[in-house]
Amino acid sequence: MTGHGGAGGEYKDLVVFLAAAGVVVPLFNRLKISPVLGFLTAGVLLGPSGLARFSETAPWLAWLTISDASQIRSLSELGVAFLLFMIGLELSWERLKSMRRLVFGLGLTQVAACAVGLAAVFMLMGQSLVSAAVLGMGLALSSTAVVMPVMAERGRMGGATGRATFATLLAQDLAVAPILTTVTVMAAMATDGATPAGEFDPSVLGPALFTLVPAAIGLALIVVLGRLVLRPMFRSVARARSKGQGQELFLAASLLVVVASGLAAQAAGLSMSLGALVAGLLLAETEFRREVEISIEPFKGLLLGVFFVGVGIGLDLNAVAAAPFTVFGLAIGLTLFKAVLIYGACRLWGVKNRNAIETAMVLGPAGEFAFVILGAGLVEGIASPEFTRTIILAATISMFTVPLMALLADRLIRKVEPAQPELEPEAMAPEVAENQVLIVGFGRVGRLVGELLTEHGQAFMAVDANASTVAKGRAEGSNVFYGDAGRPEMLARCGIETARAVVVTMDAPTKVDEVVTAARSLRPDLILIARARDARHAERLYRLGVTDAVPETTEASLQLAENTLVDLGVPMGLVLASIHERRDQFRKVFQAAMAENDARPARALRSTRRN
């Protein structure tokens, strides 16, 4: 960091950033405004378009501005990588696998629909096919670094909106490398001399696909090396810490993993954030997951702050002032057009209306990768320079609107969807009693389980994350409370330490998995019964440690068979005996399949070692 001599001048930009983090952001928190907006605003004020404009008349202002924005941007990449690494720690391969429909269905549908739709609009505005395609692909992506903290701040990450949003953002991260490759190929085809300007020859796309091979190989190597290296490395660090080496070793190892995985992904042509996400997923499978989270949490927030400041610095207020109606019009049009397309994609893939509205609103603005892709288009000479720079300004302004869009989504949902009832304080404070059965989810299935427990003299307490369901249950006199049982602290408040059993009745597989994992981590000896979507989900639940999994498809078949046999005159006793016997057979099949799946990696590893 240069530009000012004297003692300590080389650290001036760092001091200015820390001052902004310590002054501007707490001020925004006191005003109940998103810290993301605080950092973005600080970036505008500290950048060349902010206070630096007045430094000629007041030279001392130069000490209150950031003079080397390039170094800030370098650090900001680490901030995004740390964010994705933390997200990976909260996931698992199983959970990611269960989200594949959203990632490769909803996510890729959104990228394709927005890229094609935006390209068509830009062609109508007079851009060539190649230029419009580059602009469309760049602006189809949203900002992981802005959206995820805003969603986490509003407590949305654990619900359906959070899953749809994260799945879409993950698909966008996976699409960055193919999009950049496509831009390079378009440039080659548009400048090969045999193709008219602004056009390209589709026959060249076949060989271009081979450019994705290094990315696939690089990603596979990260996964393989991570599985082989991470656990032994952190065990070594843990042993050193037990000998009095201190917490700093865990921090150093965590930083090494994030940076090394990110750089390895970059070398393979992928984004740094995707490499960090994979590293987080690998560490999530180890016993060191929580320790790593605690170690790097402060760095994640600070480095993300650097990213937001960098975005603010990049906003050229002079250029905005030169054509304000054009820039703001493009920003508003881009956000609304994308939001409409994303809403349609969400509904197409079965996302509920209120969740689709919120997902579309927060993903409507442009993202940080737009700068990378549009910058590549400018470097390759296939994007209109003047128009592209205007679009980049509009994209930057749209990123500022993410917190506002989240707020507007709340207001819109209240108008479109019936408001949930206000719950009395008692509904928020579970009344814990010993030897109760805890029912998680008090919809149709949970209500029936509660009624049967009451008939047989078994006390129960229910918890549900839907305020309307809780209000209805309490009005009927049921012992039901509001809360998210996927959080271990909520289960602790519900008295899981003294509960006789936990029955999970929700119909969303990912939420069932979360509750089962949290409950089993708190009580290894607990009777844990869970509702499963199908046989495959039942196998996964047994792997997570349930006592019994009840797959809907299997139980429906058994019920149909029972009714048929009884109606045909077969004695009820014989029918019930047959049904129970068949249910036990199904349970053994699920457990055997689980054991078989668990044994495959071990056999494969032994085979590899022999070879």
Side-chain angles (χ1 to χ4, degrees):
M1 299 180 186
T2 59
H4 290 276
E10 62 272 20
Y11 300 111
K12 191 248 330 166
D13 287 357
L14 177 60
V15 172
V16 170
F17 166 72
L18 291 175
V23 176
V24 177
V25 175
L27 176 62
F28 272 63
N29 278 334
R30 180 170 296 182
L31 297 174
K32 296 184 179 180
I33 301 174
S34 170
V36 173
L37 275 179
F39 278 118
L40 290 171
T41 304
V44 174
L45 290 174
L46 302 176
S49 296
L51 297 176
R53 300 170 64 185
F54 307 103
S55 59
E56 291 185 4
T57 56
W60 58 271
L61 285 175
W63 286 93
L64 300 179
T65 60
I66 293 175
S67 55
D68 192 352
S70 62
Q71 293 194 16
I72 291 291
R73 293 191 187 99
S74 298
L75 281 174
S76 70
E77 288 188 31
L78 278 178
V80 181
F82 269 86
L83 172 67
L84 268 293
F85 180 71
M86 293 291 285
I87 291 171
L89 286 175
E90 291 297 328
L91 291 171
S92 65
W93 288 110
E94 283 296 334
R95 187 178 172 194
L96 197 59
K97 184 180 176 182
S98 70
M99 293 174 62
R100 63 187 180 279
R101 181 175 174 274
L102 285 176
V103 174
F104 297 104
L106 169 59
L108 295 185
T109 298
Q110 178 272 319
V111 173
C114 289
V116 172
L118 289 168
V121 171
F122 288 127
M123 288 185 68
L124 292 175
M125 296 174 67
Q127 296 297 305
S128 68
L129 173 60
V130 174
S131 177
V134 172
L135 291 168
M137 288 186 291
L139 296 176
L141 308 183
S142 308
S143 177
T144 302
V146 180
V147 171
M148 296 301 286
V150 168
M151 295 293 286
E153 178 188 331
R154 302 180 71 83
R156 294 291 195 270
M157 288 309 301
T161 300
R163 289 192 295 275
T165 302
F166 173 71
T168 305
L169 290 169
L170 180 55
Q172 292 178 3
D173 284 341
L174 292 171
V176 171
I179 287 176
L180 286 173
T181 302
T182 303
V183 171
T184 305
V185 172
M186 283 181 167
M189 291 187 289
T191 58
D192 63 359
T195 308
E199 303 291 339
F200 62 91
D201 179 8
S203 65
V204 188
L205 287 176
L209 293 177
F210 286 104
T211 60
L212 300 179
V213 173
I217 294 175
L219 193 60
L221 285 175
I222 292 174
V223 173
V224 172
L225 289 176
R227 287 188 179 278
L228 293 176
V229 171
L230 286 180
R231 194 185 295 270
M233 182 179 78
F234 276 91
R235 280 178 178 165
S236 175
V237 171
R239 283 196 296 270
R241 194 178 68 167
S242 66
K243 296 178 181 178
Q245 296 297 316
Q247 178 69 28
E248 64 275 5
L249 289 180
F250 248 100
L251 176 58
S254 302
L255 291 172
L256 172 63
V257 169
V258 175
V259 175
S261 59
L263 292 177
Q266 277 189 330
L270 298 166
S271 67
M272 188 175 189
S273 57
L274 184 59
L277 173 69
V278 172
L281 285 167
L282 293 171
L283 265 178
E285 297 179 336
T286 71
E287 60 271 30
F288 307 105
R289 167 184 171 183
R290 295 301 177 193
E291 190 69 34
V292 171
E293 284 180 348
I294 294 169
S295 298
I296 69 172
E297 177 66 31
F299 283 84
K300 181 205 73 172
L302 196 61
L303 287 173
L304 269 180
V306 177
F307 169 79
F308 299 133
V309 169
V311 172
I313 288 174
L315 183 61
D316 187 348
L317 295 181
N318 291 327
V320 173
F325 294 108
T326 301
V327 173
F328 281 98
L330 284 171
I332 294 171
L334 163 68
T335 302
L336 294 180
F337 185 69
K338 276 184 65 180
V340 170
L341 293 177
I342 294 170
Y343 174 80
C346 287
R347 297 297 287 158
L348 177 67
W349 285 93
V351 179
K352 293 181 180 178
N353 189 41
R354 62 184 298 115
N355 306 124
I357 291 173
E358 191 170 7
T359 300
M361 295 285 276
V362 297
L363 294 181
E368 57 272 7
F369 287 121
F371 308 136
V372 177
I373 294 166
L374 299 187
L378 286 173
V379 170
E380 299 290 352
I382 57 175
S384 168
E386 184 176 351
F387 186 73
T388 301
R389 291 190 183 98
T390 304
I391 290 293
I392 290 175
L393 282 175
T396 304
I397 289 174
S398 74
M399 289 176 65
F400 277 69
T401 67
V402 171
L404 177 62
M405 295 296 284
L407 183 63
L408 290 176
D410 274 351
R411 302 281 175 86
L412 185 60
I413 287 170
R414 291 195 189 108
K415 291 183 178 181
V416 174
E417 297 279 342
Q420 291 191 335
E422 292 290 333
L423 294 174
E424 67 274 15
E426 291 78 12
M428 308 287 188
E431 300 172 356
V432 177
E434 292 189 2
N435 297 322
Q436 285 183 327
V437 174
L438 176 60
I439 302 174
V440 179
F442 205 63
R444 174 179 52 84
V445 177
R447 191 182 305 274
L448 179 58
V449 172
E451 290 172 357
L452 290 172
L453 285 172
T454 301
E455 284 183 18
H456 290 275
Q458 304 294 318
F460 77 89
M461 177 176 65
V463 60
D464 198 292
N466 186 294
S468 298
T469 302
V470 174
K472 182 179 178 182
R474 293 184 69 83
E476 295 172 351
S478 299
N479 189 29
V480 57
F481 300 90
Y482 177 82
D484 179 7
R487 300 165 55 196
E489 54 268 29
M490 185 63 198
L491 288 174
R493 288 181 60 199
C494 292
I496 193 173
E497 289 299 326
T498 60
R500 294 186 63 192
V502 171
V503 184
V504 187
T505 69
M506 297 179 296
D507 60 356
T510 53
K511 289 300 295 181
V512 174
D513 294 353
E514 288 176 12
V515 175
V516 166
T517 302
R520 186 53 78 203
S521 67
L522 294 173
R523 281 280 305 277
D525 62 326
L526 183 70
I527 296 174
L528 184 53
I529 304 162
R531 174 182 177 183
R533 174 66 57 85
D534 50 28
R536 182 175 296 178
H537 187 207
E539 291 174 17
R540 186 163 77 242
L541 289 173
Y542 277 115
R543 193 175 297 114
L544 292 174
V546 299
T547 310
D548 274 311
V550 183
E552 297 171 357
T553 51
T554 303
E555 286 302 313
S557 302
L558 291 174
Q559 186 64 54
L560 284 170
E562 178 183 332
N563 290 352
T564 302
L565 290 169
V566 171
D567 290 345
L568 290 174
V570 179
M572 177 64 77
L574 294 177
V575 172
L576 290 178
S578 297
I579 294 297
H580 284 302
E581 182 181 352
R582 188 56 59 94
R583 186 178 284 120
D584 287 339
Q585 289 176 2
F586 278 125
R587 185 182 294 112
K588 290 175 182 177
V589 168
F590 298 148
Q591 293 173 335
M594 176 195 73
E596 175 65 20
N597 288 334
D598 289 343
R600 283 175 187 164
R603 287 202 302 268
L605 182 60
R606 289 196 296 269
S607 175
T608 302
R609 287 173 175 171
R610 284 197 300 270
N611 293 336

